[in-house]
Amino acid sequence: MRAVLGLTMAAHGAQKLFGWFGGGGVEGTGMFFASLGYPSPEAFAVVAGLTETLGGLGLAFGLLTPLAAAAVAGTMVNAVAVKWGGGFFAPEGVEYELVLTLAAVALALTGPGRIAVDRLLPRLRSHRLEYGIAAVVLGAVVAGVTLLLRP
């Protein structure tokens, strides 16, 4: 699950940053963010792209897993908030974003598994639930602040 979620999010980030995989790049994503009311939309496009790319790669490799998962979850909380009025089911709904958010939270709380770079780092070798909880709270707070910046 960690690898699939991580690579999926990294690909979404690459769409925003580089225009890969049919994405809009920073300029196109910035125009989309402007239509949603984000201030400094191109800066937010870069932040979203970096968060998705680096958080996704962190998850895929199991590197700093709680923080990587919190980055993904925080980004997805913003996506859910933006799409909230469209119902539950695609194409306008939030079910996809909710699943990604909850999968990231689950990984933050349960840890990276046996095959992960975190297992090579002394402080992170054994997953601690407190790290996961703290990371999820941090991701939620940053997501909330970001949403408050939107009118």
Side-chain angles (χ1 to χ4, degrees), residues 10-142:
H12 279 277
Q15 286 181 308
K16 289 174 180 65
L17 290 175
F18 311 116
W20 296 353
F21 313 114
V26 171
E27 185 178 333
T29 304
M31 289 189 306
F32 174 67
F33 281 9
S35 75
L36 298 173
Y38 282 93
S40 304
E42 286 196 359
F44 272 93
V46 170
V47 169
L50 286 172
T51 302
E52 290 178 3
T53 302
L54 298 177
L57 291 174
L59 280 178
F61 289 105
L63 176 62
L64 302 175
T65 303
L67 287 177
V72 168
T75 301
M76 297 315 300
V77 165
N78 274 271
V80 168
V82 165
K83 291 184 71 177
W84 187 253
F88 184 75
F89 293 105
E92 305 294 325
V94 295
E95 82 279 4
Y96 176 67
E97 291 81 3
L98 281 174
V99 168
L100 295 178
T101 304
L102 293 176
V105 168
L107 286 170
L109 297 177
T110 61
R114 288 181 303 206
I115 304 172
V117 174
D118 283 351
R119 297 293 180 220
L120 304 174
L121 304 174
R123 300 265 300 149
L124 297 175
R125 185 166 291 137
S126 61
H127 177 74
R128 291 186 173 84
L129 182 60
E130 310 88 71
Y131 294 164
I133 292 170
V136 169
V137 169
L138 175 65
V141 167
V142 172

